[in-house]
Amino acid sequence: MENTRALRTWLNEMELAHPLVIGGPCSAETEEQVLKIAHELKDSDVNYFRAGIWKPRTRPGMFEGVGAIGLKWLQKVKAETGMKTCTEVANAAHVKLALEHDVDLLWIGARSTVSPFIMQEIADALEGTDKIVLVKNPVNPDLALWLGGIERLYKAGIKNLGAIHRGFSTYEKSKYRNIPEWQLAIEFQNRFPDLPLICDPSHITGNRDMVFDVSQTALDLNFDGLMIESHFDPENAWSDVAQQVTPTSLIQMMEDLKIRKETETDSGYRESLNNLRAQINVVDAQLIEMMGKRMKVADKIGALKKEKNVAVLQSRRWNEILGNMILEGESKGLSEEFVLKMFKAIHQESINHQEKIIKNS
Ligand code: PEP
Ligand code: MN
């Protein structure tokens, strides 16, 4: 996207507190449930009240949302509590209804962002709106697909745009429902520093006990806001039972979270930070240098294997390296997960190098 400078301004112009906090149930269930949660959150740091009206469920037969009637309940929330409202839209009909009912913020769910057809349909339906529109990352870790969706909205003249990081689905076993892949969110921020980025710790964790920690990480990484699912009786919620927190714990969480300032002008702090950053730059350069060296050695091994007609992949040797490195890593305070990931990547690059040498015969 050529210039996103205009985008951050909506956050400032609306004089919203930092961080922007979106709270409310995963799904609107009944009018009473919606209003009860809204009233409990009314005097908190929650700036926007969320409730899913149309629910994209992975399997049929689950609760798929109350539909358009829920929009009337959101109107009541606004009238009774003064809170702004938001909901998910997934097609042109949803957009039309949400706009007619004056929903203040619309978000596009992870299962919609994956489809350029749906994104275009939504963009066309929203054309020129001054509502805030937030795009969740696609289910799969594909930065281009995420940005492509945002671009479609930007091209439709929607200026109050932002993104929601809700983690990525993975086949690998993980403690998260959707792994955060923070480096992807950081890359997103680096490439589009003026596009507001909100974190959704509820869908990342899938577990209310982890929501606080992930929220804190997001704030430490300078995210602009949080979207947290909240229900007065999470155990009996009609969707996402394990991850919703009560309004009371959401309010407590907001008190306990350390909100980082975006920048700090104090010169001592600046100096120390610059110094530490410079040290990191040096170490990073060394890492690249060492990797280059390692690959040169791998090339030599490749040439040797080619000469003797030996297979590139030698699993026993690889497992030996991995075992040693996990132990070494542990003694340096590195987690097994990290060492495994790092060496898998290094090993893959070595194999690529050796394949190249063998194929160039
Ligand atoms: C939601 O916010 O309730 C939701 C369905 O989220 P996602 O699109 O991230 O799965
Ligand atoms: Mn949910």
Side-chain angles (χ1 to χ4, degrees):
M1 214 176 323
E2 70 297 354
N3 178 13
T4 57
R5 196 144 280 283
L7 299 176
R8 179 167 293 268
T9 50
W10 66 261
L11 266 182
N12 303 332
E13 274 167 14
M14 292 183 188
E15 291 178 358
L16 292 173
H18 173 75
L20 178 79
V21 185
I22 302 171
C26 175
S27 304
E29 298 166 4
T30 64
E31 182 172 339
E32 295 69 40
Q33 171 249 13
V34 166
L35 287 170
K36 181 169 159 66
I37 299 169
H39 277 281
E40 287 184 29
L41 291 173
K42 179 174 170 265
D43 298 317
S44 69
D45 290 332
V46 173
N47 328 90
Y48 280 81
F49 181 80
R50 67 153 278 159
I53 302 292
W54 299 283
K55 300 301 299 176
R57 306 312 298 273
T58 307
R59 314 253 332 249
M62 298 160 100
F63 173 59
E64 295 195 323
V66 293
I69 181 81
L71 294 168
K72 300 244 186 288
W73 307 342
L74 286 179
Q75 280 181 311
K76 271 203 173 170
V77 166
K78 203 182 327 198
E80 287 186 19
T81 69
M83 260 195 274
K84 305 248 185 188
T85 55
C86 45
T87 200
E88 172 174 346
V89 289
N91 60 37
H94 294 168
V95 169
K96 187 166 176 285
L97 282 163
L99 294 181
E100 277 168 14
H101 289 80
D102 204 25
V103 173
D104 300 289
L105 181 157
L106 300 95
W107 84 81
I108 291 147
R111 292 163 196 77
S112 301
T113 314
V114 289
S115 165
F117 288 135
I118 291 182
M119 287 309 296
Q120 195 55 53
E121 177 182 328
I122 295 173
D124 292 343
L126 279 168
E127 191 160 355
T129 184
D130 58 359
K131 300 284 182 190
I132 299 169
V133 183
L134 303 180
V135 182
K136 286 200 172 194
N137 63 259
V139 181
N140 53 323
D142 185 337
L143 199 55
L145 201 53
W146 195 2
L147 289 170
I150 294 171
E151 265 168 344
R152 285 177 199 278
L153 296 167
Y154 190 67
K155 286 199 165 136
I158 298 149
K159 292 292 189 298
N160 298 335
L161 267 179
I164 302 177
H165 170 231
R166 50 77 80 194
F168 302 91
S169 105
T170 166
Y171 185 63
E172 280 171 43
K173 208 170 146 353
S174 152
K175 64 177 176 172
Y176 298 102
R177 177 177 177 191
N178 294 291
I179 49 172
E181 302 276 19
W182 293 111
Q183 77 288 356
L184 230 137
I186 291 167
E187 195 182 328
F188 186 99
Q189 276 179 325
N190 287 340
R191 283 172 59 182
F192 301 99
D194 294 308
L195 201 60
L197 183 59
I198 313 289
C199 180
D200 173 348
S202 305
H203 289 89
I204 288 178
T205 62
N207 173 352
R208 68 184 129 268
D209 296 336
M210 292 163 67
V211 167
F212 179 83
D213 280 350
V214 167
S215 301
Q216 187 62 66
T217 302
L219 293 181
D220 293 346
L221 291 173
N222 267 335
F223 274 61
D224 297 289
L226 299 167
M227 179 194 256
I228 300 180
E229 288 187 342
S230 180
H231 192 295
F232 54 82
D233 184 9
E235 290 299 340
N236 290 303
W238 296 5
S239 57
D240 286 350
V241 163
Q243 72 196 31
Q244 305 207 54
V245 298
T246 61
T248 316
S249 47
L250 177 52
I251 290 164
Q252 187 62 46
M253 230 182 263
M254 289 304 134
E255 262 175 42
D256 296 343
L257 282 171
K258 289 191 182 62
I259 318 272
R260 314 285 184 204
K261 288 180 231 166
E262 227 170 296
T263 50
E264 175 59 80
T265 43
D266 174 66
S267 68
Y269 159 82
R270 278 255 140 242
E271 241 170 65
S272 315
L273 186 69
N274 286 342
N275 180 275
L276 291 170
R277 281 184 174 158
Q279 289 180 40
I280 289 269
N281 290 347
V282 172
V283 177
D284 285 352
Q286 284 171 336
L287 282 174
I288 292 291
E289 172 96 28
M290 295 305 286
M291 287 303 142
K293 274 191 191 157
R294 193 191 193 280
M295 293 311 148
K296 283 216 170 72
V297 179
D299 286 349
K300 284 187 187 155
I301 295 178
L304 208 60
K305 282 180 183 166
K306 181 179 155 190
E307 209 183 292
K308 298 289 176 208
N309 201 21
V310 171
V312 164
L313 186 64
Q314 304 280 319
S315 322
R316 188 141 49 86
R317 158 93 182 127
W318 161 237
N319 285 334
E320 231 173 72
I321 297 184
L322 211 51
N324 289 341
M325 287 306 124
I326 287 172
L327 284 179
E328 284 275 328
E330 215 167 63
S331 73
K332 300 267 186 288
L334 305 175
S335 72
E336 179 174 334
E337 189 194 16
F338 170 66
V339 173
L340 267 172
K341 263 196 192 153
M342 175 171 68
F343 272 90
K344 263 191 196 162
I346 293 173
H347 187 230
Q348 186 58 54
E349 181 71 2
S350 287
I351 289 178
N352 295 349
H353 269 246
Q354 296 189 2
E355 296 270 35
K356 217 156 133 190
I357 286 181
I358 287 181
K359 276 183 192 141
N360 282 343
S361 49

